[in-house]
Amino acid sequence: MWSPSARFSALALLAIVAPATIVAVLGYVSIRQWGASSELLYREQARDMATMAADKVETTLRRTEDAFLDRVQALLQSGAPLSGALDELLAGTPLIRRLYLIGPRGELVYPRAWRDGDQDIFGPLVSAGAVRRLAREGKREVIANNHVCLALLTRRGGEPVVAAFLRDTDTLRREILETTLGALESSTIIAVLDHEGRTVYSRAPIGDAPRLLSVGFREELPDWRLTVYQAPGASPRQAVRRQVMLFTGALGVLVVVIAAGIVATWRLMRRETEMARLKSDFVANVSHDLKTPLSVIRMFGETLEMGRVTDEGRRQEYYRVITREGERLSRLIDNVLDFSRIEGGRQTYSMTPTAVEPLIRATLEAFEYPLAQQGFKVAVSVAADLPEVTMDADAVQQALANLIDNAIKYSGDDRELTIDSRASAGWLVITVSDRGVGIAPEEQGKIFEKFYRVGRSDTQGRRGSGVGLALVRHIAEAHGGSVTVESAPGEGSRFSLRLPLGGS
Ligand code: ADP
């Protein structure tokens, strides 16, 4: 069969470790799924945002350029002198750096002459064929890596004119890209790259931020692309990793707390079981201790009553046995009663100044008979100059009696009892030494615990309840003192009872 603690451990494993594992596995799976879907969502959102941003840039650019062309068209239609009006219009439109108007036969309508070799660039683009092409394919064309735009206008009288203009990249960056993209709310980095992948504009330094995706512009900026980079720390994967760490940490703490709880409960349970066992031993021991002297008293009493003992000497002997056993009974009952009073917190002590030597001798007197009968060599030495000490004389006597009783009980063949009393550094120290069985070092700390008996001591064939030394310790501490033991197995023990000389 399983022991209670093994059953407890199995139960704890089942009830706590198993659910914790399930929670951990479920948590891990759902975090993985969540990680995957949030990554997808993040990319989708970034793509939507990028498309929207590109649209916005194009619309703004188109609107600005259309407004400009409308005004040029209006001037052409009005038939008024072009030069001054167009110069003025250009000066007020920083986005357009240069403007050339070319007639259907390739002749320059505005300005009067080509500038800075522009003819080489614009000439072929706006040759006669350009008018036909524009008329065929739509009214606008953006060429030369987004720098040059062509548009078809008409003069008064219906004659077509090609307007070719050069965009100013700086103004485009400042007034179009900056104003539209800079205002977007997004944690990503948005940049515009030219046909060679160079950054024309970027909302924040790109550094080595990973590239998320890139979308193209349509008609207005056909060679450029809008690219989205992931800002440092904004990755959903990082957020998920943080969550995983948090989750793992919390789970770890939980497991540690649960494990600590299990260990604490298990230890408590073990202590309780041990205590229950000690208590039941105690009841058996006390009953046994009560029965033995009682049967001796009864037997000797009955013998005397029947008048069978005629010899006076033997009769006296019997009386002494009855008295000694009676005293032993009283001591035992006092011990148990005092112990239960102490346990219930009802014990009180009445302190009075007491002479030490008479107290020791009176205590020893009660053991005169067993000591003599068992052939003990008794040595008592009390320092001559001991002052009176404030104490509860009955309680200290009881403590001493317990120490002496033990010295007798736990002696082997070497029967010696030494009681020594002296003052030392403000303490009254009474030592009770024997040359008996001794106590193993690992037991020395436990013998003062209630109900504790070494090796459940009746194995040593000696009777006892296990409360004697607990009582001694309590009495010593109630006086502000202490009790200690020095002992070696087979060599005997020496108990020192220390009480403060000044009283407590
Ligand atoms: P008990 O009623 O068993 O004597 P105590 O509380 O007086 O209970 O003592 C606790 C245990 O300490 C004893 O069971 C015994 O094993 C050990 N012990 C006490 N005094 C001595 C001693 N003088 N020599 C050896 N062992 C001792």
Side-chain angles (χ1 to χ4, degrees), residues 14-63:
L14 224 86
I16 292 146
V17 179
T21 315
I22 293 173
V23 168
V25 170
L26 285 181
Y28 181 74
V29 169
S30 65
I31 278 179
R32 284 289 301 258
Q33 282 175 352
W34 170 54
S37 58
S38 66
E39 177 83 21
L40 210 72
L41 197 73
Y42 182 73
R43 278 179 179 280
E44 264 172 30
Q45 277 177 348
R47 180 168 298 279
D48 287 353
M49 191 266 306
T51 316
M52 194 194 77
D55 272 357
K56 209 167 153 195
V57 167
E58 285 212 278
T59 317
T60 316
L61 183 60
R62 177 109 202 191
R63 205 178 297 139

Side-chain angles (χ1 to χ4, degrees), residues 28 31 34 237-253:
Y28 181 74
I31 278 179
W34 170 54
R237 207 165 282 183
Q238 272 172 343
V240 170
R241 208 170 301 147
R242 271 198 297 274
Q243 287 294 326
V244 170
M245 267 157 67
L246 204 78
F247 176 78
T248 318
L251 199 76
V253 169

Side-chain angles (χ1 to χ4, degrees), residues 402-403 406-407 409-410 434 436-439 447 449 452-454 457 460 463-470 487 493 495:
N402 272 306
L403 293 180
N406 280 349
K409 257 195 317 195
Y410 301 107
D434 61 61
V437 295
I439 304 156
I447 53 174
E449 285 170 17
Y452 190 82
R453 309 194 69 217
V454 175
S457 268
Q460 296 168 346
R463 290 177 295 159
S465 56
V467 296
L469 287 181
S487 179
S493 313
F495 284 86

Side-chain angles (χ1 to χ4, degrees), residues 351 427 474-482 498-500 503-504:
M351 303 290 191
W427 296 94
H474 190 274
I475 291 169
E477 286 172 358
H479 283 74
S482 64
R498 253 166 251 267
L499 303 177
S504 60

Side-chain angles (χ1 to χ4, degrees), residues 231-291:
S235 152
R237 207 165 282 183
Q238 272 172 343
V240 170
R241 208 170 301 147
R242 271 198 297 274
Q243 287 294 326
V244 170
M245 267 157 67
L246 204 78
F247 176 78
T248 318
L251 199 76
V253 169
L254 198 78
V255 167
V256 167
V257 168
I258 289 172
I262 292 174
V263 170
T265 316
W266 182 72
R267 288 175 62 156
L268 200 77
M269 210 177 80
R270 224 178 48 168
R271 263 190 57 175
E272 287 300 312
T273 320
E274 177 69 7
M275 197 42 80
R277 188 179 64 72
L278 288 174
K279 274 183 183 163
S280 87
D281 283 359
F282 168 73
V283 172
N285 288 333
V286 169
S287 319
H288 189 261
D289 261 17
L290 287 173
K291 238 161 89 183

Side-chain angles (χ1 to χ4, degrees), residues 7-21:
R7 220 176 312 146
F8 176 80
S9 311
L11 214 78
L13 201 79
L14 224 86
I16 292 146
V17 179
T21 315

Side-chain angles (χ1 to χ4, degrees), residues 127-146:
S127 58
V131 177
R132 281 198 300 279
R133 199 178 64 241
L134 281 172
R136 196 172 60 239
E137 291 174 9
K139 283 191 155 188
R140 288 279 287 272
E141 212 173 68
V142 179
I143 50 179
N145 302 329
N146 295 348

